[in-house]
Amino acid sequence: MMGSARMAGMTDPDHIWTEAAGRLRGEIGEGAFSSYIAPSAVRVDGSGQLILVTPTAYARDWVRKNALRRMNELWLGLDPQARRLDVRCRAEMGSVAPASQVAAGRAPTAAGNVVQMPMATVAPVADGARAVRAAGLQDRLTFDSFVEGQGNAFALAIARQAAAWADGHFNPIFFCGPYGYGKTHLLNAIAWEAQRLRPDAKVVYLTAERFLSTFVRAMQDRSTAAFKDSLRSADMLLIDDVQFVGGKASTQEELLSTLTALIEDGKKIILSADKPPMALTEVEPRLRSHLASGLTCPVEPADRSLKLAVARNRIEALSKLGVVSGEVRPDVLEHLVDRTPGSMRELEGAVNTLAAVAATRLSALTVDEAQGLLGSALRGGPERRITVDEIQKTVAEHFTLKQADLLSERRTRSVARPRQIAMYLCKQHTTRSYPDIGRRFGGRDHTTVLHGVRKIEELIAQDEQIARDVEALTRKLRG
């Protein structure tokens, strides 16, 4: 096979990997690629061996079993030097250098002086260097994986128009609706598709929490001018969960100025929140007025048919990953949906739990067996209410701390990480809001809780010890 990399005489492993990974994506499917290949990166060990470094041992084993042979076939067809790839997990890597240093003729540093580089992800689109601005986006949240239903059809249609850079009379576009029903998915999908269609455009995606923290850091570093330029030079700006800027006067003023500048320049603005603009009572009236001046698109809670479609879609994705085999019986899926009346995220969590427990037995599972396997994980069964106080005590005991430590001002990692895990578990297992959880952790701000929850969500996929701790604590809380 003669690839374009060979034709161009390309020897840079980073370029070869980008092309090989792009081809592999089309062969193994989006689900498997996003879960196991995209979070990995090519590095070189002390002997000069090229290594695909995965975030976890589980991902390493999956790649070795299902994709390594094909990856090497693709790599050998593109690499004039006919090098081969091995695969290891991040914990196994000692002194490693980015693969690009090999192409540049720079040897790895000596052991104990490790070159630390970010684990780059391969974006769903590789149509230009501007794609790096999509940091923070989730690979699996694209239009292809979004399930359309009666409650989100209008919002989806508007999202597709925005992603296509269609000329419209509405700016900003504001998606609103309850937590867990697809707003973040739509913003991610818009960003990916907009960048794919216009590779040279500057597409900037931020959560409101990241907007807040970046702006505060810019003020501390006296670099607010650079911060403003980075946003106001955007061709499309997307901000998720904008309700979290409420109560922050200087940040609201900066956001208002940014929106005004972009609108005047004809740039596109996409926003989301859990309520319509005028219902965001903690947001300053002038900013609320600007948020409401474009088009407000509600994302309604899903009906039963949409939830069934989402559950089927998740089972299919897990099947492609090899987690389960066969199709789940319709009555089992209906039982699962009917016993999980919460958000789409909660439904996906219930499907994941069922898949993990049943695995290869999934297709033969009966309703009674599903109920027995899941037990109190399904809300329709007898469920013991889990409280914030119980979570704090359980986490403190697990990490050999006092409950008071989690509520204290201590910021050492030995306390801060368990505190974040406790916040994450509170969000998963109680109905408390971010502000309420913050109050119960020593009066902390809701943005601190949001940051902690998202940090643990990120670490669960990357750090096996954190994943084991969360799993163990979840088992203890469920009895």
Side-chain angles (χ1 to χ4, degrees):
M1 181 172 61
M2 182 68 72
S4 59
R6 178 181 290 238
M7 294 170 62
M10 193 186 309
T11 61
D12 182 359
D14 287 342
H15 287 91
I16 297 172
W17 171 240
T18 297
E19 184 159 344
R23 296 184 185 184
L24 188 65
R25 178 194 296 275
E27 294 181 12
I28 69 175
E30 183 64 38
F33 186 90
S34 296
S35 295
Y36 300 110
I37 309 299
S40 307
V42 175
R43 296 288 183 262
V44 60
D45 66 10
S47 65
Q49 170 70 49
L50 290 174
I51 307 292
L52 180 71
V53 183
T54 63
T56 65
Y58 182 81
R60 175 204 62 199
D61 294 342
W62 187 95
V63 170
R64 185 170 287 156
K65 178 181 178 181
N66 299 285
L68 185 59
R69 179 177 178 181
R70 181 54 181 156
M71 285 165 53
N72 268 301
E73 290 175 354
L74 292 170
W75 188 282
L76 290 170
L78 295 165
D79 185 2
Q81 298 182 26
R83 293 165 290 189
R84 297 189 67 86
L85 279 174
D86 194 5
V87 59
R88 298 179 202 163
C89 67
R90 191 177 299 174
E92 295 174 317
M93 299 301 288
S95 178
V96 294
S100 57
Q101 290 193 5
V102 178
R106 298 194 298 273
T109 58
N113 197 17
V114 179
V115 176
Q116 294 293 337
M117 295 291 288
M119 295 293 286
T121 61
V122 181
V125 291
D127 294 338
R130 302 268 186 181
V132 299
R133 291 196 180 91
L137 295 175
Q138 300 179 54
D139 286 0
R140 74 184 186 92
L141 301 184
T142 65
F143 284 126
D144 288 341
S145 62
F146 191 88
V147 181
E148 182 177 356
Q150 184 175 353
N152 62 31
F154 175 64
L156 178 59
I158 295 299
R160 289 188 181 278
Q161 288 181 20
W165 301 93
D167 291 334
H169 304 289
F170 307 113
N171 203 22
I173 295 173
F174 194 101
F175 295 99
C176 61
Y179 175 82
Y181 285 99
K183 302 186 301 298
T184 295
H185 195 146
L186 286 175
L187 263 65
N188 274 250
I190 292 170
W192 287 129
E193 182 68 1
Q195 191 73 76
R196 185 185 72 81
L197 293 175
R198 283 184 53 184
D200 294 329
K202 183 177 179 180
V203 177
V204 177
Y205 169 90
L206 291 168
T207 63
E209 185 262 343
R210 188 175 176 190
F211 179 92
L212 280 164
S213 60
T214 306
F215 178 60
V216 170
R217 187 164 58 249
M219 288 195 297
Q220 293 171 344
D221 297 342
R222 298 183 180 178
S223 58
T224 53
F227 172 79
K228 292 177 181 180
D229 289 344
S230 69
L231 295 183
R232 297 181 191 183
S233 59
D235 297 297
M236 178 183 287
L237 174 65
L238 304 99
I239 300 181
D240 199 7
D241 286 329
V242 76
Q243 71 270 13
F244 290 122
V245 302
K248 305 290 190 299
S250 59
T251 308
Q252 290 187 65
E253 187 65 33
E254 178 55 35
L255 179 57
L256 177 60
S257 299
T258 297
L259 298 183
T260 301
L262 289 172
I263 290 172
E264 288 177 351
D265 289 343
K267 303 302 176 64
K268 293 189 177 297
I269 301 168
I270 320 290
L271 306 159
S272 81
D274 60 353
K275 301 181 186 69
M278 298 313 292
L280 299 175
T281 55
E282 293 188 4
V283 173
E284 190 264 339
R286 285 190 307 148
L287 178 56
R288 280 207 311 267
S289 178
H290 271 70
L291 297 177
S293 65
L295 174 65
T296 299
C297 295
V299 182
E300 303 289 349
D303 58 18
R304 188 171 186 267
S305 62
L306 178 56
K307 286 190 171 185
L308 284 168
V310 168
R312 288 192 201 97
N313 189 63
R314 184 58 185 158
I315 289 289
E316 289 174 4
L318 292 171
S319 180
K320 290 178 181 178
L321 293 175
V323 176
V324 297
S325 59
E327 296 183 359
V328 64
R329 287 173 41 168
D331 57 340
V332 171
L333 203 62
E334 291 171 4
H335 177 77
L336 185 69
V337 167
D338 292 341
R339 296 301 186 276
T340 314
S343 71
M344 295 297 218
R345 287 197 181 102
E346 292 175 7
L347 176 59
E348 286 198 345
V351 173
N352 291 342
T353 302
L354 182 65
V357 173
T360 56
R361 295 183 51 223
L362 185 66
S363 59
L365 212 61
T366 67
V367 169
D368 289 341
E369 287 175 323
Q371 180 67 51
L373 288 172
L374 289 172
S376 62
L378 291 181
R379 288 189 173 184
E383 183 181 43
R384 184 176 58 81
R385 183 183 178 188
I386 299 173
T387 66
V388 172
D389 183 69
E390 182 182 3
I391 291 171
Q392 290 174 343
K393 289 177 179 177
T394 303
V395 170
E397 180 182 9
H398 181 83
F399 289 101
T400 321
L401 297 169
K402 297 178 181 178
Q403 185 177 359
D405 292 330
L406 301 180
L407 280 60
S408 72
E409 294 298 319
R410 292 176 60 189
R411 297 184 180 181
T412 58
R413 174 160 294 197
S414 62
V415 174
R417 190 68 79 221
R419 182 186 294 128
Q420 289 178 327
I421 290 174
M423 291 175 175
Y424 169 82
L425 292 169
C426 286
K427 195 58 188 171
Q428 293 295 310
H429 299 290
T430 77
T431 58
R432 302 293 180 183
S433 65
Y434 286 112
D436 196 10
I437 294 172
R439 284 191 291 271
R440 291 164 182 263
F441 277 81
R444 284 177 164 78
D445 188 83
H446 67 270
T447 57
T448 302
V449 180
L450 177 64
H451 171 75
V453 170
R454 288 188 167 165
K455 184 64 177 178
I456 298 305
E457 288 175 342
E458 175 186 337
L459 288 175
I460 286 173
Q462 300 174 356
D463 188 314
E464 290 185 345
Q465 184 58 55
I466 293 290
R468 284 194 294 268
D469 286 333
V470 171
E471 183 182 358
L473 286 162
T474 299
R475 286 198 302 268
K476 288 180 183 178
L477 290 167
R478 287 177 173 170

